[in-house]
Amino acid sequence: MAADPKQSEALRQIQEAFQSAQSQMAQLRQQVEKHAELARAKTQNDFIQKEKERALRELGEAVFKQVQKGRLELPSTFAPLLKAVEQAQHKAEAQAREISDLLQEGEETAQRLKQKNVGGSNSGVASRTKKL
């Protein structure tokens, strides 16, 4: 029996569609793999940058401490940077004092309320009597 020409044409179209889908899947796979590789490289770069920033921060802090102790003198071109660090340090210290003061005020207020409540709950209003 000869194959039906309509079935042969439908089968050919299905095969073409399947091959096209396989080709598209291969292209998508390549794109996904490339994006994954880029993401890994970016993550690694971010990690290296953070490591570098941490090392520079530690170096800067060590140099600043040596300058403060008078063990190291920097060229005058560093004066604006030193001044900026000192100002930031003073702001941080002032903020820490303010936070400490607020915490102390809160503690004092809590103590006053506690002492007031311990003194009795004499509100000046007679309590309601219960009916038996």
Side-chain angles (χ1 to χ4, degrees), residues 20-37:
S20 175
Q22 281 183 321
S23 175
Q24 289 176 353
M25 283 294 291
Q27 290 174 352
L28 285 173
R29 180 179 292 121
Q30 286 177 340
Q31 290 176 354
V32 167
E33 289 172 356
K34 186 173 185 172
H35 284 287
E37 187 178 337

PDB file of all heavy atoms in Angstrom, residues 20-37:
ATOM      1  N   SER A  20      13.516  22.257  13.921  1.00  0.00           N
ATOM      2  CA  SER A  20      13.579  23.690  14.229  1.00  0.00           C
ATOM      3  C   SER A  20      13.561  23.908  15.743  1.00  0.00           C
ATOM      4  O   SER A  20      14.320  24.723  16.275  1.00  0.00           O
ATOM      5  CB  SER A  20      12.411  24.411  13.572  1.00  0.00           C
ATOM      6  OG  SER A  20      12.390  25.771  13.944  1.00  0.00           O
ATOM      7  N   ALA A  21      12.704  23.161  16.440  1.00  0.00           N
ATOM      8  CA  ALA A  21      12.625  23.279  17.898  1.00  0.00           C
ATOM      9  C   ALA A  21      13.930  22.839  18.533  1.00  0.00           C
ATOM     10  O   ALA A  21      14.413  23.465  19.497  1.00  0.00           O
ATOM     11  CB  ALA A  21      11.462  22.453  18.429  1.00  0.00           C
ATOM     12  N   GLN A  22      14.540  21.765  18.025  1.00  0.00           N
ATOM     13  CA  GLN A  22      15.829  21.308  18.556  1.00  0.00           C
ATOM     14  C   GLN A  22      16.903  22.365  18.361  1.00  0.00           C
ATOM     15  O   GLN A  22      17.719  22.611  19.248  1.00  0.00           O
ATOM     16  CB  GLN A  22      16.256  19.996  17.877  1.00  0.00           C
ATOM     17  CG  GLN A  22      15.578  18.771  18.417  1.00  0.00           C
ATOM     18  CD  GLN A  22      16.103  17.510  17.753  1.00  0.00           C
ATOM     19  OE1 GLN A  22      16.364  17.495  16.549  1.00  0.00           O
ATOM     20  NE2 GLN A  22      16.250  16.456  18.547  1.00  0.00           N
ATOM     21  N   SER A  23      16.893  23.001  17.206  1.00  0.00           N
ATOM     22  CA  SER A  23      17.872  24.052  16.922  1.00  0.00           C
ATOM     23  C   SER A  23      17.686  25.236  17.873  1.00  0.00           C
ATOM     24  O   SER A  23      18.655  25.784  18.409  1.00  0.00           O
ATOM     25  CB  SER A  23      17.723  24.515  15.475  1.00  0.00           C
ATOM     26  OG  SER A  23      18.573  25.595  15.208  1.00  0.00           O
ATOM     27  N   GLN A  24      16.434  25.623  18.087  1.00  0.00           N
ATOM     28  CA  GLN A  24      16.150  26.723  19.011  1.00  0.00           C
ATOM     29  C   GLN A  24      16.572  26.368  20.427  1.00  0.00           C
ATOM     30  O   GLN A  24      17.107  27.203  21.153  1.00  0.00           O
ATOM     31  CB  GLN A  24      14.662  27.082  18.966  1.00  0.00           C
ATOM     32  CG  GLN A  24      14.239  27.766  17.686  1.00  0.00           C
ATOM     33  CD  GLN A  24      12.740  28.017  17.633  1.00  0.00           C
ATOM     34  OE1 GLN A  24      11.983  27.576  18.492  1.00  0.00           O
ATOM     35  NE2 GLN A  24      12.290  28.733  16.604  1.00  0.00           N
ATOM     36  N   MET A  25      16.337  25.129  20.838  1.00  0.00           N
ATOM     37  CA  MET A  25      16.745  24.684  22.180  1.00  0.00           C
ATOM     38  C   MET A  25      18.265  24.746  22.337  1.00  0.00           C
ATOM     39  O   MET A  25      18.777  25.165  23.371  1.00  0.00           O
ATOM     40  CB  MET A  25      16.259  23.255  22.446  1.00  0.00           C
ATOM     41  CG  MET A  25      14.790  23.155  22.776  1.00  0.00           C
ATOM     42  SD  MET A  25      14.381  23.940  24.338  1.00  0.00           S
ATOM     43  CE  MET A  25      15.176  22.825  25.466  1.00  0.00           C
ATOM     44  N   ALA A  26      18.986  24.355  21.306  1.00  0.00           N
ATOM     45  CA  ALA A  26      20.445  24.399  21.358  1.00  0.00           C
ATOM     46  C   ALA A  26      20.920  25.850  21.494  1.00  0.00           C
ATOM     47  O   ALA A  26      21.827  26.148  22.281  1.00  0.00           O
ATOM     48  CB  ALA A  26      21.038  23.751  20.113  1.00  0.00           C
ATOM     49  N   GLN A  27      20.285  26.751  20.753  1.00  0.00           N
ATOM     50  CA  GLN A  27      20.654  28.166  20.856  1.00  0.00           C
ATOM     51  C   GLN A  27      20.338  28.718  22.238  1.00  0.00           C
ATOM     52  O   GLN A  27      21.136  29.454  22.826  1.00  0.00           O
ATOM     53  CB  GLN A  27      19.928  28.980  19.778  1.00  0.00           C
ATOM     54  CG  GLN A  27      20.419  28.721  18.379  1.00  0.00           C
ATOM     55  CD  GLN A  27      19.573  29.436  17.326  1.00  0.00           C
ATOM     56  OE1 GLN A  27      18.535  30.014  17.628  1.00  0.00           O
ATOM     57  NE2 GLN A  27      20.027  29.383  16.070  1.00  0.00           N
ATOM     58  N   LEU A  28      19.169  28.368  22.763  1.00  0.00           N
ATOM     59  CA  LEU A  28      18.804  28.818  24.118  1.00  0.00           C
ATOM     60  C   LEU A  28      19.776  28.276  25.148  1.00  0.00           C
ATOM     61  O   LEU A  28      20.182  28.989  26.073  1.00  0.00           O
ATOM     62  CB  LEU A  28      17.374  28.381  24.452  1.00  0.00           C
ATOM     63  CG  LEU A  28      16.256  29.166  23.787  1.00  0.00           C
ATOM     64  CD1 LEU A  28      14.911  28.506  24.066  1.00  0.00           C
ATOM     65  CD2 LEU A  28      16.250  30.602  24.280  1.00  0.00           C
ATOM     66  N   ARG A  29      20.161  27.015  25.020  1.00  0.00           N
ATOM     67  CA  ARG A  29      21.112  26.406  25.952  1.00  0.00           C
ATOM     68  C   ARG A  29      22.435  27.173  25.942  1.00  0.00           C
ATOM     69  O   ARG A  29      23.007  27.464  26.991  1.00  0.00           O
ATOM     70  CB  ARG A  29      21.348  24.942  25.600  1.00  0.00           C
ATOM     71  CG  ARG A  29      22.329  24.260  26.546  1.00  0.00           C
ATOM     72  CD  ARG A  29      22.547  22.792  26.231  1.00  0.00           C
ATOM     73  NE  ARG A  29      21.332  22.045  26.520  1.00  0.00           N
ATOM     74  CZ  ARG A  29      20.652  21.312  25.634  1.00  0.00           C
ATOM     75  NH1 ARG A  29      21.070  21.220  24.393  1.00  0.00           N
ATOM     76  NH2 ARG A  29      19.572  20.665  25.988  1.00  0.00           N
ATOM     77  N   GLN A  30      22.900  27.524  24.739  1.00  0.00           N
ATOM     78  CA  GLN A  30      24.144  28.291  24.631  1.00  0.00           C
ATOM     79  C   GLN A  30      24.010  29.652  25.314  1.00  0.00           C
ATOM     80  O   GLN A  30      24.920  30.096  26.023  1.00  0.00           O
ATOM     81  CB  GLN A  30      24.527  28.486  23.161  1.00  0.00           C
ATOM     82  CG  GLN A  30      25.063  27.248  22.493  1.00  0.00           C
ATOM     83  CD  GLN A  30      25.349  27.476  21.015  1.00  0.00           C
ATOM     84  OE1 GLN A  30      24.817  28.413  20.399  1.00  0.00           O
ATOM     85  NE2 GLN A  30      26.178  26.615  20.432  1.00  0.00           N
ATOM     86  N   GLN A  31      22.878  30.311  25.106  1.00  0.00           N
ATOM     87  CA  GLN A  31      22.668  31.623  25.732  1.00  0.00           C
ATOM     88  C   GLN A  31      22.611  31.508  27.252  1.00  0.00           C
ATOM     89  O   GLN A  31      23.197  32.333  27.961  1.00  0.00           O
ATOM     90  CB  GLN A  31      21.383  32.266  25.197  1.00  0.00           C
ATOM     91  CG  GLN A  31      21.483  32.716  23.761  1.00  0.00           C
ATOM     92  CD  GLN A  31      20.166  33.268  23.232  1.00  0.00           C
ATOM     93  OE1 GLN A  31      19.143  33.220  23.895  1.00  0.00           O
ATOM     94  NE2 GLN A  31      20.193  33.782  22.010  1.00  0.00           N
ATOM     95  N   VAL A  32      21.925  30.488  27.752  1.00  0.00           N
ATOM     96  CA  VAL A  32      21.832  30.289  29.201  1.00  0.00           C
ATOM     97  C   VAL A  32      23.213  30.016  29.781  1.00  0.00           C
ATOM     98  O   VAL A  32      23.587  30.571  30.827  1.00  0.00           O
ATOM     99  CB  VAL A  32      20.844  29.143  29.532  1.00  0.00           C
ATOM    100  CG1 VAL A  32      20.968  28.714  30.982  1.00  0.00           C
ATOM    101  CG2 VAL A  32      19.417  29.580  29.224  1.00  0.00           C
ATOM    102  N   GLU A  33      23.987  29.169  29.120  1.00  0.00           N
ATOM    103  CA  GLU A  33      25.335  28.864  29.600  1.00  0.00           C
ATOM    104  C   GLU A  33      26.214  30.108  29.595  1.00  0.00           C
ATOM    105  O   GLU A  33      26.991  30.337  30.525  1.00  0.00           O
ATOM    106  CB  GLU A  33      25.960  27.758  28.752  1.00  0.00           C
ATOM    107  CG  GLU A  33      25.326  26.393  28.997  1.00  0.00           C
ATOM    108  CD  GLU A  33      25.804  25.327  28.032  1.00  0.00           C
ATOM    109  OE1 GLU A  33      26.582  25.644  27.094  1.00  0.00           O
ATOM    110  OE2 GLU A  33      25.383  24.161  28.199  1.00  0.00           O
ATOM    111  N   LYS A  34      26.082  30.936  28.572  1.00  0.00           N
ATOM    112  CA  LYS A  34      26.871  32.169  28.495  1.00  0.00           C
ATOM    113  C   LYS A  34      26.474  33.129  29.621  1.00  0.00           C
ATOM    114  O   LYS A  34      27.336  33.712  30.284  1.00  0.00           O
ATOM    115  CB  LYS A  34      26.674  32.834  27.132  1.00  0.00           C
ATOM    116  CG  LYS A  34      27.565  34.037  26.925  1.00  0.00           C
ATOM    117  CD  LYS A  34      27.468  34.560  25.518  1.00  0.00           C
ATOM    118  CE  LYS A  34      28.466  35.696  25.318  1.00  0.00           C
ATOM    119  NZ  LYS A  34      28.555  36.107  23.927  1.00  0.00           N
ATOM    120  N   HIS A  35      25.173  33.264  29.867  1.00  0.00           N
ATOM    121  CA  HIS A  35      24.716  34.152  30.946  1.00  0.00           C
ATOM    122  C   HIS A  35      25.157  33.622  32.315  1.00  0.00           C
ATOM    123  O   HIS A  35      25.517  34.410  33.199  1.00  0.00           O
ATOM    124  CB  HIS A  35      23.195  34.328  30.889  1.00  0.00           C
ATOM    125  CG  HIS A  35      22.749  35.245  29.805  1.00  0.00           C
ATOM    126  ND1 HIS A  35      22.920  36.605  29.845  1.00  0.00           N
ATOM    127  CD2 HIS A  35      22.150  34.987  28.613  1.00  0.00           C
ATOM    128  CE1 HIS A  35      22.443  37.155  28.740  1.00  0.00           C
ATOM    129  NE2 HIS A  35      21.976  36.189  27.972  1.00  0.00           N
ATOM    130  N   ALA A  36      25.134  32.316  32.480  1.00  0.00           N
ATOM    131  CA  ALA A  36      25.588  31.731  33.747  1.00  0.00           C
ATOM    132  C   ALA A  36      27.079  32.008  33.952  1.00  0.00           C
ATOM    133  O   ALA A  36      27.514  32.335  35.062  1.00  0.00           O
ATOM    134  CB  ALA A  36      25.319  30.228  33.764  1.00  0.00           C
ATOM    135  N   GLU A  37      27.851  31.899  32.878  1.00  0.00           N
ATOM    136  CA  GLU A  37      29.283  32.187  32.965  1.00  0.00           C
ATOM    137  C   GLU A  37      29.525  33.657  33.310  1.00  0.00           C
ATOM    138  O   GLU A  37      30.371  33.991  34.144  1.00  0.00           O
ATOM    139  CB  GLU A  37      29.947  31.835  31.635  1.00  0.00           C
ATOM    140  CG  GLU A  37      31.454  31.938  31.649  1.00  0.00           C
ATOM    141  CD  GLU A  37      32.073  31.534  30.313  1.00  0.00           C
ATOM    142  OE1 GLU A  37      31.423  30.795  29.549  1.00  0.00           O
ATOM    143  OE2 GLU A  37      33.200  31.987  30.045  1.00  0.00           O
TER     144      GLU A  37
END
